Amino acid sequence: MAAPVARGECSEAALAAALADVPELARLLELDPYLKPFALDFQRRYKKFNETLNNIGENEGGIDKFSRGYESFGVHRCADGGLYCKEWAPGAEGVFLTGDFNDWNPFSYPYKKLDYGKWELYIPPKQNKSQLVPHGSKLKVVIRSKSGEILYRISPWAKYVTREGENVNYDWIHWDPEHPYKFKHSRPKKPRGVRIYESHVGISSYEGKIASYKHFTYNVLPRIKDLGYNCIQMMAIMEHAYYASFGYQITSFFAASSRYGTPEELKELVDTAHSMGITVLLDVVHSHASKNSEDGLNMFDGTDSCYFHSGPRGNHDLWDSRLFIYSSWEVLRFLLSNIRWWLEEYGFDGFRFDGVTSMLYHHHGMGQAFSGDYHEYFGLQVDEDALIYLMLANHLVHTLYPDSITVAEDVSGMPALCSPISQGGVGFDYRLAMAIPDKWIQLLKEFKDEDWNMGNIVYTLTNRRYLEKCIAYAESHDQALVGDKTLAFWLMDAEMYTNMSVLTPFTPVIDRGIQLHKMIRLITHALGGEGYLNFMGNEFGHPEWLDFPRKGNNESYHYARRQFHLTDDDLLRYKFLNNFDRDMNKLEERCGWLSAPQAYVSEKHEGNKIIAFERAGLVFIFNFHPSKSYTDYRVGTTLPGKFRIVLDTDAAEYGGHQRLDHSTEFFSQPFKHNERPCSLLLHPDLGTDQCPTFC
């Protein structure tokens, strides 16, 4: 990151006050002295976080109680067989409960108005003690607005909603099974190096339909385990009425998507993953909400505010969605309770927070280049209410479950986003290294192989804040979406349809594509961060793009699926990429480079197109030259002794040309090279588009 233009230094007295208020701010400023002019910003943020936390303690009995809103809000069966209902609808003139249980009489069960816009209702049990509202029956909250309009709404706290047949809107289904799923396995410990398999249940089958939680549990989880991933990131789980939104237009925040199955089946999925030692993250969307009103949060109480900012500030112009008012007490309760709900009810082990850039700034990142000047991250453009909410969310997650993981999707590069709250940071464990996939796409789209700049590749892969961990990835779901191409498609395009059979000779396009696909992923994995992410199917070069059924494609599921059978076919070359991805992950598990200090890059040779670096006791050597091989190539190392090849992109099992003898032993010599005290000679041949890794 570029050094910022300095802001005027704060006074010694002001700096001393900031250091006194923020327990470990001195450590942050020691790591990055350029942040010293912004010490007062960190002080203000930390004090506001503490004030909010203290207010929650004084008024709600602490964040532990405050974040259990789902235990009282919504609809609940009482021990006596009665029903307790509670809602927050500050703009309503009247609130009622209706449904199958009262033949949809809209006004027979009115709520009682409480302070602060809350409403409650207690319905006594039947004389025979049978359930008043049986499991699986339909409900609605009826709102009488200030204008007298009668509105039928789904409770914001609804645990299960579903759409029947050709219905446009979702129905709220009372979920209270007689035998709820009981977890059998404990949560896995936090991985030392996180290897994330980004997953979408609905597209996880090769069939042209929406796949189920059951399908994912029994067919996809074993693949993920075999590939060596220790973490899955579940997309599109929070209920979203529009399937093609990829799960980013949430309508019911406490409901697991019913299009894949039941809540109990999702719990079984998470529990089964835990039995395999796999950590499970939820892709949580608290940056915005769907504009749907009949089956969403929008206009819940008949006003345009309630959970959202009123007027233009409450709308995201690019996403056509509503924006939360993070300063609202009840919105904080709702969102923090939502975080806890997914941790406690479903056993998730953490979150990838979507749209963090949009949350952090009043401009939502729109039209911003983010040059790296620190002034972009402080001042009036920062939405400190949202920032405080993120601090509270991270505090809650890590207090409840210290081994939990939180990941921020932030393109801005805000300093201290992944620093501890005690330093004045926001408290995330990781941020996504979003510049890396953009760099690979740029190279493949705009440059010939011989024009790739080795220094620029290394800069992109290593340009991250010290001690703020990054999740590196060559491509995610974003690159797979219609309108873009996966790396495999950029590399091989139409030839993937005709030349992926092992019964046909390598064409230059397929040969280059397979070799570069492996190299790009390995250098990203080993050099790009402290964690690694792959979107499902891309590990084996999944052909084509991703497109959900919609009017524009005649509601087709053809591109909303993952063709895992391609890698199971021994006559297709997809198996080579799959094998390499598996062995790359398993080598990381053995050697632990993701949890090791950042790599030392000893060579980035523009003429030879060679990149060499050391990390975790391994020496990585990449030859990106499209036409040159090298005999007796010398590479610097700090490690004396004997080396052997542990991973080679050119190996036969990965679709390579077997130009290196894996039985050869290499010995480093006390011969200084590229500022390293030792060096080793690679012989006989370092081939084109090849990466041997030594230990």
Side-chain angles (χ1 to χ4, degrees), residues 187-188 191 195 221-222 224-226 229-232 270 272-280 349:
R187 299 171 184 264
R195 301 181 298 275
L221 281 180
I224 296 171
K225 177 66 175 177
D226 179 67
Y229 290 93
N230 55 19
C231 181
I232 54 176
V270 174
T272 305
H274 287 169
S275 76
M276 299 177 175
I278 296 173
T279 295
V280 188
D349 304 298

Side-chain angles (χ1 to χ4, degrees), residues 401-452:
Y401 298 99
D403 276 350
S404 291
I405 295 170
T406 57
V407 182
E409 188 217 21
D410 170 46
V411 72
S412 75
M414 174 174 274
L417 188 67
C418 299
S419 297
I421 293 171
S422 58
Q423 293 180 9
V426 185
F428 283 101
D429 294 299
Y430 298 91
R431 60 161 31 104
L432 292 176
M434 300 181 73
I436 294 176
D438 292 343
K439 175 53 62 179
W440 291 123
I441 295 296
Q442 180 196 36
L443 288 172
L444 294 174
K445 283 175 66 174
E446 300 176 12
F447 294 90
K448 296 178 181 178
D449 293 0
E450 57 267 29
D451 294 331
W452 284 20

